[in-house]
């Protein structure tokens, strides 16, 4: 029966660690721009200014 209390304490500790990591990520700005990374791959060629190499004939 005492293993239940040990596992509850361990799980609460792990959950607290993940909550702390999430709050740290939010405060450091990891989730500020959630639109640009999703569309960056669509405009990758335009933003780099490089032309793609044409296939040799």
């Amino acid at each position: 029966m005492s293993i239940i209390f040990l596992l509850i304490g361990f799980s609460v500790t792990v959950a607290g660690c993940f909550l702390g990591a999430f709050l740290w990520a939010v405060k450091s700005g990891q989730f500020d721009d959630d639109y640009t990374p999703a569309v960056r791959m669509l405009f990758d060629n335009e933003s780099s200014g490089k032309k793609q190499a044409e296939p040799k004939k």
Side-chain angles (χ1 to χ4, degrees):
M1 185 70 184
S2 64
I3 193 70
I4 294 294
F5 296 116
L6 180 67
L7 289 175
I8 289 173
F10 181 72
S11 63
V12 168
T13 302
V14 169
C17 289
F18 280 110
L19 179 63
F22 175 73
L23 292 175
W24 172 78
V26 168
K27 285 185 178 183
S28 67
Q30 295 288 322
F31 301 108
D32 285 348
D33 186 15
D34 59 348
Y35 178 72
T36 302
V39 297
R40 184 179 302 153
M41 66 178 183
L42 299 174
F43 304 107
D44 192 28
N45 291 338
E46 295 175 7
S47 65
S48 66
K50 297 179 182 176
K51 292 183 178 180
Q52 288 184 333
E54 295 180 14
K56 295 181 180 179
K57 296 180 182 177

